[in-house]
Amino acid sequence: MFQSFRQAMAWLHTWFGLVLGFVLMAAFFFGALSVFDREIDRWAIPETRIAPQPMPSYEKLLRPAFERMQPTPLAIDAMRPRVDGPMPAHFDTVDSWSAYTTHRDPVLALYAGYQVPHAKDAEERIWAYATIDPRDGRLLPDEQLKIGSGFFFPLHYGLTLDWKNLGIWIVGFSALMMLAALVSGVIMHRKLFREFFTFRPGKAPLRSVLDLHNLTGVVALPFHFFFALTGLLIFASTYYFPLGETQLHGLHERHEQAEARETGLPHARADVSAGLANVDAMVAEAQRRWHEHGKAGEVGFLVLQHVGDANGYVSVYRAGTDRIALVGDGIHFKASTGAVIHEDPPATPVARVSEFLTGLHLQHFRHWLLRWLYVLGGLTGAACIATGFIFFVEKRKKQHAKTGNQGSRVVDALAVTTVTGMLIATLTLLIVNRLLPERLPAAWASRGDLEVYLFWAGWALAMAHAFVRSAPVAQERANPAWYEQCRTVSAMALAAVLLNWITTGDHLIKTVFTHPYWPVAGVDLFLLASAALATVAAHRLKARLGADQLAQSTEAGHA
Amino acid sequence: MPRTFTIDTSGSPRLHIAARVGAAVLGGYGFAWGINAVTMALLSAAGLEFHDAEFLGNLLGVLAFLVVFLWTFAARRLWRVWAVLTSGGALLAGTGSWVQSWLV
């Protein structure tokens, strides 16, 4: 089949890159947006446009909020088939209450897990979620979609295909293919070092597209390799290689028992009711201990386990604002007395490496310049894949035009769909978010669901347009959908900025100068920059299209 | 003259590609699972903490998957790839279970 090793690698690079490149585009692009997920959330939910808040007082604010929580009717219905007997009217046995925040979160996420009487799997919990304003404990409406952290972020690693975690598997396999494409790409090119510095924009389109493909691939190679690899590692033990839950369950169990003995943190309830000491005092004690160890910090994660039970304990974890490694430095207290049960020991060397790698991918630390470099790296990855598609088309379209093969036409239309179409889908979501009324008729889908449906509808429309306009590619000409969609992107990005102004009164003069609020200003500025780039791209694509047509008609005239 | 090697081209090329992709994806996964299992079990036996062994097992497993995936496409004889990946994966996974039974 293959004449040489290099040819085998080229085949692998071309075909796996083509098929899974479409998934990788989404992973890179929405991953790049997820770097600023909290900021996009602020843009999308105007009532949360406030400064980040520290973890509020448990006694004053969190306890009443936790006590009000209950699973939604939807969650109860979903649980019903996994329970023998009727569902209770109220869930009373709290397995855990927890609150999570970061240095970029003005709102606080609350989680409550309850035991389910007569559940087929006694370990299974039913969950309730809430988002509150940490200043006054006010409940924020849950049907509002957190576009950044609640949609772009899961889209980035699981395509929001939740059925049997299919999306996570598809993205995982694509990440493996990203690694394979990087290795095979390096093998394919003998003059790797020279290509590092080669970009010939004036040359024939085929050559400059390949230059750009190599440049974006090689310059950011460590970035791409690192993110694909750490992405795989973050999910490996839970999804891709769940050995601890399956084949090596015995070893895992042995470890859990040893850990429970060592830490003294009870795995289950004692079924003896008990009171709760002052949690704020426990938090203060945890902060005092961190300070003593030379790492004073804020609380990122607060967990109350086995609430109301004699075995109950409270875990206080430190926010990872000031270090790359995703660390917790947890301190655990006996709930009924407030006495310290256990303090997490310093990490082992291997754990430190693992925390560093996952921390560098998930970036909970505070470093705005690095955050922007991540966006740039992610977009470079997307550009590398997109130029790969274009190279595929440019290389074949002459041959395909001669033989009547529709291959390059289809690939080109799919490339339009994943490049400009993906931008149109994203902008549709932002525009719809600003246009839909706060309250929708009860019979409709929830506001958040509707936003997501329209996101996919916008993408489908862009795809249909790309295919409808693709006929010229089969005759070796360019698809006009490229420049038409670029124009649409620039108009939509402008519209999103204007709609933000009209519906919330937050324009750039206010968010940059008079009342600086960078999360919203940053999104608006990014949208304006995208509009400008898309306008330039549309203009140049249009000019090239005109030149193409002219050349073809002269050719026809000569013939 | 560079050594050229020909990969077995008997039979339908489509079927051959399907068999190669199948070997790379399924055989590669099985083999990576085996590497993962044996690494975790042996490191646990060597006294490493469970999650440390798990992390190193995952890392080696993913890298092994990458290497055998590329090898599947470069190898001359596909039957040998299938043989190495399936029997190797089973042997490694089996060793992992055996070490576990000895530990637990």
Side-chain angles (χ1 to χ4, degrees):
Chain A
M1 194 170 91
F2 304 117
Q3 296 305 312
S4 69
F5 177 56
R6 185 160 294 167
Q7 206 182 16
M9 290 299 107
W11 187 91
L12 173 81
H13 187 94
T14 305
W15 294 101
F16 278 94
L18 179 70
V19 174
L20 294 166
F22 299 107
V23 179
L24 286 169
M25 277 292 283
F28 270 96
F29 179 69
F30 291 111
L33 294 188
S34 298
V35 171
F36 284 108
D37 59 347
R38 299 300 202 280
E39 289 69 18
I40 296 172
D41 289 352
R42 300 290 79 73
W43 194 94
I45 310 175
E47 59 190 301
T48 64
R49 292 180 181 178
I50 49 173
Q53 307 288 323
M55 182 71 77
S57 153
Y58 175 86
E59 304 298 338
K60 285 192 204 114
L61 221 132
L62 292 180
R63 190 212 305 262
F66 279 132
E67 281 169 352
R68 280 199 307 268
M69 287 174 74
Q70 276 294 297
T72 61
L74 216 64
I76 294 172
D77 280 340
M79 183 78 201
R80 215 178 286 275
R82 297 193 296 281
V83 177
D84 297 315
M87 297 296 268
H90 196 272
F91 290 87
D92 300 313
T93 316
V94 180
D95 185 57
S96 73
W97 276 341
S98 54
Y100 178 72
T101 191
T102 73
H103 70 98
R104 287 156 57 227
D105 271 305
V107 295
L108 188 69
L110 302 184
Y111 310 86
Y114 308 86
Q115 283 191 4
V116 187
H118 314 297
K120 285 174 183 158
D121 172 5
E123 294 280 307
E124 189 172 358
R125 303 288 174 252
I126 191 165
W127 291 90
Y129 307 94
T131 305
I132 62 166
D133 184 334
R135 296 169 306 178
D136 51 15
R138 189 173 53 96
L139 200 67
L140 294 164
D142 225 22
E143 66 265 28
Q144 293 212 348
L145 179 66
K146 290 174 185 157
I147 288 180
S149 60
F151 186 64
F152 291 159
F153 180 52
L155 193 61
H156 146 73
Y157 62 73
L159 310 173
T160 66
L161 275 175
D162 295 334
W163 180 74
K164 300 219 180 275
N165 298 316
L166 184 64
I168 290 182
W169 280 91
I170 294 174
V171 173
F173 184 63
S174 305
L176 185 74
M177 286 311 101
M178 183 74 199
L179 298 177
L182 289 169
V183 175
S184 55
V186 168
I187 295 170
M188 280 159 72
H189 297 284
R190 291 160 225 240
K191 296 174 231 150
L192 189 75
F193 187 72
R194 192 188 295 170
E195 274 163 3
F196 214 85
F197 302 102
T198 309
F199 179 45
R200 291 160 285 184
K203 285 263 181 174
L206 189 65
R207 194 60 238 179
S208 43
V209 164
L210 186 60
D211 283 350
L212 196 58
H213 182 62
N214 294 337
L215 186 83
T216 49
V218 174
V219 167
L221 194 130
F223 178 91
H224 302 329
F225 198 93
F226 176 85
F227 273 83
L229 179 65
T230 50
L232 281 166
L233 290 179
I234 287 168
F235 279 159
S237 61
T238 318
Y239 296 107
Y240 305 137
F241 299 107
L243 279 139
E245 304 302 317
T246 54
Q247 196 196 332
L248 300 183
H249 187 255
L251 279 178
H252 192 197
E253 194 71 7
R254 185 185 73 147
H255 163 76
E256 299 244 291
Q257 283 163 7
E259 194 177 44
R261 268 197 309 278
E262 212 173 283
T263 59
L265 300 177
H267 180 68
R269 297 176 82 90
D271 289 325
V272 177
S273 66
L276 179 63
N278 189 304
V279 175
D280 289 347
M282 301 181 211
V283 169
E285 171 63 13
Q287 286 186 309
R288 192 190 65 76
R289 288 184 179 225
W290 291 330
H291 184 78
E292 214 167 64
H293 299 324
K295 41 186 176 186
E298 294 290 338
V299 178
F301 191 38
L302 180 68
V303 189
L304 282 79
Q305 199 73 37
H306 315 313
V307 178
D309 188 87
N311 266 357
Y313 63 92
V314 176
S315 303
V316 188
Y317 295 93
R318 189 175 173 283
T321 311
D322 56 351
R323 52 204 69 205
I324 289 172
L326 201 60
V327 291
D329 295 305
I331 299 177
H332 313 271
F333 300 84
K334 190 162 177 63
S336 53
T337 62
V340 173
I341 309 176
H342 178 71
E343 201 166 324
D344 285 354
T348 61
V350 177
R352 277 217 294 278
V353 172
S354 146
E355 285 167 352
F356 181 80
L357 292 181
T358 49
L360 207 50
H361 191 122
L362 296 169
Q363 20 149 12
H364 286 230
F365 51 89
R366 190 201 316 262
H367 195 305
W368 297 105
L369 176 65
L370 199 56
R371 214 162 261 282
W372 277 106
L373 287 177
Y374 274 41
V375 174
L376 197 68
L379 294 180
T380 311
C384 178
I385 300 157
T387 46
F389 294 150
I390 296 167
F391 181 69
F392 183 96
V393 172
E394 291 295 326
K395 197 174 163 187
R396 287 164 183 77
K397 73 179 185 186
K398 192 166 195 167
Q399 185 63 26
H400 285 181
K402 272 194 199 129
T403 58
N405 188 324
Q406 300 294 304
S408 52
R409 175 180 173 180
V410 171
V411 171
D412 187 76
L414 287 172
V416 175
T417 310
T418 35
V419 180
T420 50
M422 186 156 64
L423 299 177
I424 288 175
T426 307
L427 291 164
T428 307
L429 182 54
L430 295 183
I431 289 175
V432 165
N433 170 276
R434 290 293 83 231
L435 283 181
L436 281 177
E438 287 294 311
R439 294 272 170 275
L440 293 171
W444 288 28
S446 80
R447 194 180 195 272
D449 286 347
L450 206 56
E451 284 173 25
V452 170
Y453 298 151
L454 288 166
F455 167 88
W456 293 113
W459 208 337
L461 214 61
M463 182 170 185
H465 173 248
F467 272 92
V468 166
R469 302 288 276 155
S470 65
V473 180
Q475 286 136 35
E476 218 198 314
R477 283 184 288 127
N479 185 342
W482 280 108
Y483 92 85
E484 288 161 358
Q485 294 204 5
C486 276
R487 271 195 188 159
T488 313
V489 166
S490 69
M492 287 176 84
L494 274 180
V497 175
L498 285 176
L499 282 170
N500 176 42
W501 176 9
I502 295 168
T503 55
T504 68
D506 288 349
H507 49 76
L508 276 166
I509 295 174
K510 183 175 162 194
T511 52
V512 176
F513 298 107
T514 55
H515 295 85
Y517 193 69
W518 285 106
V520 170
V523 174
D524 274 349
L525 286 170
F526 194 76
L527 285 169
L528 286 182
S530 310
L533 260 177
T535 308
V536 173
H539 183 74
R540 300 187 71 157
L541 286 166
K542 183 83 205 298
R544 179 171 290 171
L545 204 65
D548 255 16
Q549 271 160 357
L550 198 69
Q552 284 223 335
S553 58
T554 7
E555 227 169 82
H558 280 298
Chain B
M1 195 182 133
R3 189 175 65 101
T4 58
F5 59 98
T6 326
I7 288 156
D8 181 20
T9 48
S10 59
S12 143
R14 264 191 203 162
L15 206 68
H16 181 89
I17 287 189
R20 217 167 259 270
V21 171
V25 176
L26 300 175
Y29 181 75
F31 188 80
W33 179 283
I35 291 275
N36 213 327
V38 82
T39 310
M40 272 173 77
L42 287 177
L43 289 177
S44 294
L48 234 65
E49 198 258 354
F50 177 80
H51 291 291
D52 287 0
E54 182 179 58
F55 173 74
L56 292 173
N58 288 166
L59 181 65
L60 280 187
V62 168
L63 293 176
F65 201 166
L66 173 61
V67 170
V68 297
F69 200 97
L70 296 170
W71 173 62
T72 304
F73 286 89
R76 203 184 314 193
R77 290 191 190 83
L78 189 56
W79 65 265
R80 204 158 65 183
V81 175
W82 272 108
V84 169
L85 293 184
T86 49
S87 57
L91 199 69
L92 290 165
T95 312
S97 279
W98 180 74
V99 172
Q100 172 180 245
S101 70
W102 178 67
L103 283 174
V104 178

